[in-house]
Amino acid sequence: MDVSAFGDRRRTNLHQLAVRRGLYGVLDRAFREAEVPWTDYDHEDRGDGVLMILPPEVAKSTLVETLPAPLVLALQEHNAGHPTEEHIRLRLALHAGEIHYDDHGVVGHAVNLAFRLLDAPSFKAAHARSGGLLSVITSAWFFDEVVWHSATAARHTYHRIHVTAKETDTTAWIRLVDGELALVDEPPPVSPRPAPHQLPVSTRQFVGRDAELTRLTELLTPRRPGTGAVIAAIDGTAGIGKTALTLAWAHQVRDRFPDGELHVNLRGFDEQDPLDPDQVLDSFLQTLGVHPQAIPAGHDAKSALYRSMLAERRMLVVLDNARSSDHVRPLLPASPVCLVVVTSRNRLDSLVVREGAHRIALDVLSDAGALALISERVGRARLEEDPESTAELVRLCAHLPLALSVASARAANQPALPLRDLLGELRDERRRLDALDLGEPDLNLRAVFSWSYSVLPPAAARLFRLLGLHPGADIGLAACRALADDGAQAALRKLTSAHLVLEFRPGRFRLHDLLRAYAAELAATDPERTAATARLVGHYLHTALHAERQILPHRYGRDALIGGRALGQTEVADAMGWFTDEHPTLLTLVGFAADHGLPGHAWRLAWACTTFLRRTGRWSERAAVHRAALAAAVQADDRLGEATSRRNLATAIARLGEIDEAIQLLRRSAELYEELGDEVGEIKNHLACMRVLSAQGDHIEALKHAERAWSLVQDRPDRLGHADALAALAEQLSALHRNDEARRLGTRAFDLYTAIGHLEGQAYVLLVLGDVERALGRPVQAIEHYQYSQSLDRRLGDRYWIAVSAEKLAEVYPDDRDRASALREALATYREIRHPAAERVAVRLTALVASTGVAQAPAGETPAY
């Protein structure tokens, strides 16, 4: 602090001595009332003033909240008791920072700045004209970090000024405690600079992103004072087009920011080290006109000065490629007339929560957007020459803007080359990333992905690598845990935040194709890959067996195949949902397990999928998965696996009309079961032969196999085996018009199925009993059986048998409208599951409508009898 006009010629030496005594008296009284024992702390006499150094434990807010009032009061009382020549008016400068001691006192940039503020001509002029006894000047840092956050420091009475003194060129804030602010003249900066315009060039081929552009433009709506700067946080995976979007929009709206634009690439994900915010602050402050020697040394002081410089400027600040929220926080202005756009590969959740940033998450381009991007670079005519290759190019580039741009550049560089000739390398997943490399780091997909991968924590990096082993397009949380143990959930949070993995619905994750190819490259050299593969396949097998038992609690011969393991209990709905989510992966996993030395897992996985595939009408997939299982079992010389897979494959292809091959498969499986001495296997093989021959229409031979199955099982203490054999006998006897026998055996089978709670068996045998009642001329009873069977299949979710029941009901309903309604239901279901029976039903329905002119029954209406 300093006494104004201490050297006034009217003051004699005696007057100056009185002023100095008065100054210390004023300070002692005022600081005592503010409860700051200043004499206990370091202070230096400066002749006409005092330098006071307060330790960190003294609250800085005291100096602007409780000290000014007692200082003014003490000055008033001193002046009232002394002549004019001994009156005291004070200028007080406040700053905080690092200081250093030597044998002669204290030094440091912070000390220098405090004195420059105290002697600033604009401050001295304002104080002189105010007529008041006390004026205060604070550094920009002190104002932003102390005054601004105080409820009682009268922050609204402070006025921003520009300070130029010696090598100092900075912003400060003044308060004329008991004077008139209107008398202050703020001189302009000594060296005014033009508004900065730092935006890099925007690509002329920018396309799409209309929704995101609109959202950004909506942020330009003026905000009320005191709400801080508007912040847009744009996040998305590597190569998604965050920078392109930002620059395209920024150039569109730059005229809305008359004070200019600041831009920096923070290199948060780059081949070089990230930029330190301190470096950026130095650059920004110099751009804003601060002399290099006037920039504070401390990080917080720089940030405060930066905010002060932008306090009343309408500027656009673009902070590109940030590593995290903390990476950009020191670079955020506080002015509501500034707008900040931050881009990052990481989700900046902290920025959204603490600073109220508006998050804009970028996804890959739509088909239309991807085609527009390629067209801008290659030309629409060339795309229209080969639309199929164009569509495949978009798919192989995963709709990712950077990949599409690189592929388009290759196409543009070879204008005579057809697009289809560019697809060879892209089709090979092992070479795809090589094909998307133009020789520069930022145009090399592998390099760009590596910058995201390299900054991951070890656990997240491990899981990302191991995800490259997974053969499916998406993966559930439980499978991730199988790969990476209990740390998977935390690792997934890191990966989704980094946009390396997408959680497209709760608990389901996927990598786009190019990231999966990169992860697979990393996994190929991971020493953990063999153990992780075994864990992954083991998880899927165990869970598939678990889920299969829930959707079909009673399955004859199960324990012989899976060793009778107790697999726990879950709801049927959960098991069907799991199979629905996982069946594409399970089908791929059969061959994957075989290729990785796990043939026993391979054929058991196929076996576990059978019920789900059958109920949902996936006939071709069912046949394909059992072919893969059979190949694995044969290669491993696993005779039980071979026999089981041959039998399952035969049943599957028989549904597709491939009867001859099915019979050959069953003959060989019969031989294998006999060699193994597996009587249960033999029984099941006879039942499979019965189904195949029945599908061929050879009911006499089918009956022989049903009888052989019964002869093998009747002496076994196995009610399920008895029921299966009796139902098979009843079905073939019904087909041979031996209806009384069929009815008796079918009823026995139904009672056994009911006793053990086997809904699928009940539904099956009810169809047989319905056929018997219809043959006996009892349509009402037949309808009851068919409807009951259909209701059970609806509970089970077995769409194929729902359609079969509907067909059978159409044959016995007396009313034409009901018959048409049943046929329409059968037709819709067959078409949904892509079953060839749809064509047959369509012909029947067309004939019925043509002959009767009936309309469909109201939706959901079921005839009751």
Side-chain angles (χ1 to χ4, degrees), residues 821-860:
S821 179
L823 285 174
R824 285 190 170 93
E825 180 183 17
L827 177 60
T829 305
Y830 282 139
R831 282 177 173 169
E832 182 183 356
I833 63 177
R834 301 184 300 279
H835 194 276
E839 185 177 349
R840 179 188 68 228
V841 174
V843 171
R844 287 183 58 192
L845 180 60
T846 299
L848 178 63
V849 172
S851 63
T852 65
V854 295
Q856 183 180 7

Side-chain angles (χ1 to χ4, degrees), residues 711-728:
S711 68
L712 290 172
V713 79
Q714 63 180 335
D715 294 329
R716 297 173 64 88
D718 190 335
R719 292 189 297 171
L720 179 56
H722 289 183
D724 284 347
L726 289 170

Side-chain angles (χ1 to χ4, degrees), residues 365-381:
L365 292 172
S366 64
D367 285 338
L371 289 172
L373 188 151
I374 300 173
S375 178
E376 284 287 328
R377 289 161 170 79
V378 177
R380 182 170 299 278

Side-chain angles (χ1 to χ4, degrees), residues 42 55 180 222 295 299 326 333 337 444 544 548 603 661 676 692 726 762 769 835 854:
D42 290 346
E180 291 295 331
I295 297 175
H299 175 79
D326 287 339
V337 295
N444 178 333
E548 188 274 339
W603 70 260
E661 183 185 357
L676 292 167
V692 170
L726 289 170
Q762 293 175 57
L769 292 172
H835 194 276
V854 295

Side-chain angles (χ1 to χ4, degrees), residues 475-558:
I475 187 170
L477 177 58
C480 290
R481 286 176 173 151
L483 280 173
D485 310 317
D486 293 336
Q489 194 154 9
L492 281 168
R493 283 196 294 270
K494 291 289 186 182
L495 293 175
T496 54
S497 178
H499 290 283
L500 290 171
V501 169
L502 171 67
E503 185 174 16
F504 63 94
R505 77 166 199 264
R508 298 297 300 180
F509 305 88
R510 64 170 171 242
L511 291 73
H512 68 62
D513 289 348
L514 296 174
L515 276 172
R516 190 165 65 247
Y518 178 64
E521 286 186 358
L522 298 173
T525 58
D526 192 314
E528 193 184 355
R529 64 187 181 278
T530 301
T533 297
R535 292 196 303 269
L536 181 70
V537 176
H539 157 76
Y540 275 109
L541 175 59
H542 179 86
T543 311
L545 293 172
H546 184 119
E548 188 274 339
R549 174 164 281 181
Q550 303 317 303
I551 63 176
L552 185 61
H554 308 283
R555 187 172 181 182
Y556 189 53
R558 174 190 280 119

Side-chain angles (χ1 to χ4, degrees), residues 361-424:
L362 292 193
D363 200 353
V364 294
L365 292 172
S366 64
D367 285 338
L371 289 172
L373 188 151
I374 300 173
S375 178
E376 284 287 328
R377 289 161 170 79
V378 177
R380 182 170 299 278
R382 193 170 172 192
L383 302 187
E384 292 174 348
E385 290 175 2
D386 191 354
E388 291 183 0
S389 294
T390 301
E392 186 176 3
L393 178 65
V394 169
R395 181 181 62 80
L396 292 175
C397 289
H399 292 73
L400 189 70
L402 179 58
L404 290 164
S405 296
V406 171
S408 299
R410 292 190 62 186
N413 291 338
Q414 304 174 77
L417 191 67
L419 284 181
R420 62 179 174 274
D421 293 341
L422 292 171
L423 300 178

